[in-house]
Amino acid sequence: MVFTSPGHGAMARVGVALSHGFTGSPVSLQGWADYLAGQGFAVSLPLLSGHGTSWEDLAKTPWTRWYSDFERAYLDLTDRCDVVFTAGLSMGGALALRVAEHHHVAGVAVVNPGLTFSDKRARYSGLLKYIVKSVPAIGNDIKMTDVDEGAYARTPVAAVHQLSALFKDTVAGLGQVQAPTIVFRSSVDRVVPESSMDILGDRIGSTNYEVVRLENSYHVATMDNDAAQIFEGSAAFFREHSVGQ
């Protein structure tokens, strides 16, 4: 499920590191990765630790592993590209933002980025993980029918506790994000609450911050009706902010 492309033509100098979301896999971003690669960008879409196997594996994986996997994809691109962007869906959006807090990225493009929880029980996940091992999946929030993002059937509570720690750490550093940032936000999202957008808009350090509303998609918008809008809009963003760098 790992995807990489060296790029081609004039855009091969521009890299994009893409991150999938929590309990998901690169399947949710394959269309985005394919589109960018077809436009000539160098692309890296890693499989994050604890994903693509079983929810029991995810339950044993600290959030720092997810971050280091994605950071490595970004750094690998910096070795062969002049400029590199970070991008991601949901939790992948948080990872993309956190890399931008610690590295000089050219820009950030995120889709329904997660920084807070809809379910208030998440705040007690550090205790609940000793009582409840897993809960029903949060995957496949997609308006289109017969589309499967390949997420786990169960969500491990221990991993929710790790996700909470990632969110807390990322929110604390949002002021360090100085790179241009574009956010694609679904009007209906049953996974990531609007409070995530409120925090991001209030705390991000970038003065070049844009929100694009998606009117015909749910959470996994990269596999939904507005996917083309995301693909084309992000590519235009990457081109614009790579000029002169």
Side-chain angles (χ1 to χ4, degrees):
M1 289 187 287
V2 176
F3 176 85
T4 61
S5 173
H8 58 85
M11 300 313 298
R13 60 179 287 272
V14 180
V16 183
L18 293 167
S19 177
H20 65 78
F22 181 64
T23 76
S25 75
V27 170
S28 62
L29 297 188
Q30 191 62 59
W32 195 4
D34 288 340
Y35 179 85
L36 294 174
Q39 295 295 305
F41 295 98
V43 179
S44 181
L45 171 56
L47 175 66
L48 304 179
S49 294
H51 294 79
T53 54
S54 68
W55 68 260
E56 289 88 351
D57 284 342
L58 184 59
K60 298 179 288 186
T61 307
W63 72 265
T64 50
R65 288 275 303 283
W66 310 332
Y67 177 74
S68 62
D69 290 342
F70 185 59
E71 183 184 44
R72 187 178 309 112
Y74 165 79
L75 293 174
D76 286 347
L77 284 171
T78 65
D79 288 339
R80 52 192 171 91
C81 297
D82 296 334
V83 291
V84 181
F85 295 84
T86 58
L89 166 69
S90 195
M91 177 189 79
L95 294 175
L97 288 162
R98 193 176 190 279
V99 168
E101 294 171 4
H102 296 275
H103 299 279
H104 184 63
V105 305
V108 182
V110 290
V111 180
N112 295 321
L115 294 171
T116 60
F117 294 94
S118 294
D119 192 333
K120 291 181 172 55
R121 292 175 297 177
R123 71 183 64 179
Y124 306 113
S125 56
L127 295 174
L128 290 174
K129 66 182 181 181
Y130 298 109
I131 303 170
V132 180
K133 296 300 182 183
S134 68
V135 294
I138 59 172
N140 285 336
D141 186 32
I142 303 171
K143 189 173 184 179
M144 290 180 65
T145 58
D146 300 319
V147 179
D148 186 354
E149 67 168 313
Y152 287 147
R154 304 288 297 179
T155 298
V157 177
V160 174
H161 183 50
Q162 290 298 312
L163 183 61
S164 179
L166 168 62
F167 286 173
K168 182 178 180 179
D169 185 273
T170 303
V171 167
L174 284 174
Q176 302 302 312
V177 179
Q178 300 297 320
T181 301
I182 187 169
V183 183
F184 296 91
R185 175 60 174 163
S186 296
S187 295
V188 177
D189 185 335
R190 295 172 292 191
V191 177
V192 169
E194 198 63 22
S195 56
S196 288
M197 293 297 297
D198 295 338
I199 287 175
L200 180 56
D202 288 344
R203 301 195 185 190
I204 194 168
S206 177
T207 57
N208 189 336
Y209 176 74
E210 177 186 5
V211 177
V212 177
R213 289 288 171 176
L214 307 175
E215 302 297 339
N216 199 25
S217 297
Y218 295 159
H219 180 65
V220 191
T222 51
M223 299 183 76
D224 216 330
N225 294 303
D226 297 307
Q229 183 179 352
I230 296 169
F231 302 168
E232 294 166 8
S234 63
F237 173 83
F238 299 146
R239 291 190 189 95
E240 176 186 357
H241 294 288
S242 63
V243 173
Q245 294 198 48

